Amino acid sequence: VGFAAEHGDGAVDRARAKLERKRVDAIVVNDISRDDIGFDAAENEVTIVAAGADQPVPRASKAEVASAILDAVEQQRSAGEYNLKHGAPGAPGRPGAARA
């Protein structure tokens, strides 16, 4: 999972490009153009960008947002949607890989 601090309109589109470029399973997008969330604020609001879909996480405490991110990661792993083809942990030849 990667994180992208993006600014304003087009943030999700830029994160989607970063998802492919960085070869990660998901990118969590923080809109840093807003003063009411994120840095120096008690709450945050993010979008989790994955190959299958974008998942908005509505404004909530940072602990609740973190929990939503972990839930999304667990859901991807349970569904087998993580990125084995790009050398992610668990990929053939990498530590933690399943052996036949």
Side-chain angles (χ1 to χ4, degrees):
V1 176
F3 292 83
E6 298 289 345
H7 194 275
D9 292 338
V12 171
D13 292 331
R14 288 187 299 278
R16 198 171 291 113
K18 190 177 283 189
L19 177 77
E20 292 184 24
R21 192 172 63 251
K22 299 288 186 175
R23 298 180 176 173
V24 295
D25 298 311
I27 295 279
V28 179
V29 182
N30 287 286
D31 184 352
I32 60 171
S33 67
R34 294 179 53 187
D35 292 333
D36 61 329
I37 60 170
F39 302 115
D40 297 325
E43 297 180 317
N44 204 359
E45 178 179 321
V46 301
T47 301
I48 303 168
V49 177
D54 299 341
Q55 178 183 343
V57 178
R59 186 175 176 161
S61 72
K62 289 182 179 180
E64 291 171 305
V65 171
S67 181
I69 293 167
L70 291 173
D71 288 347
V73 169
E74 179 61 32
Q75 187 175 28
Q76 272 191 317
R77 289 186 58 85
S78 295
E81 296 173 358
Y82 45 94
N83 193 349
L84 293 180
K85 67 183 176 216
H86 294 297
R94 292 284 305 240
R99 302 196 196 288

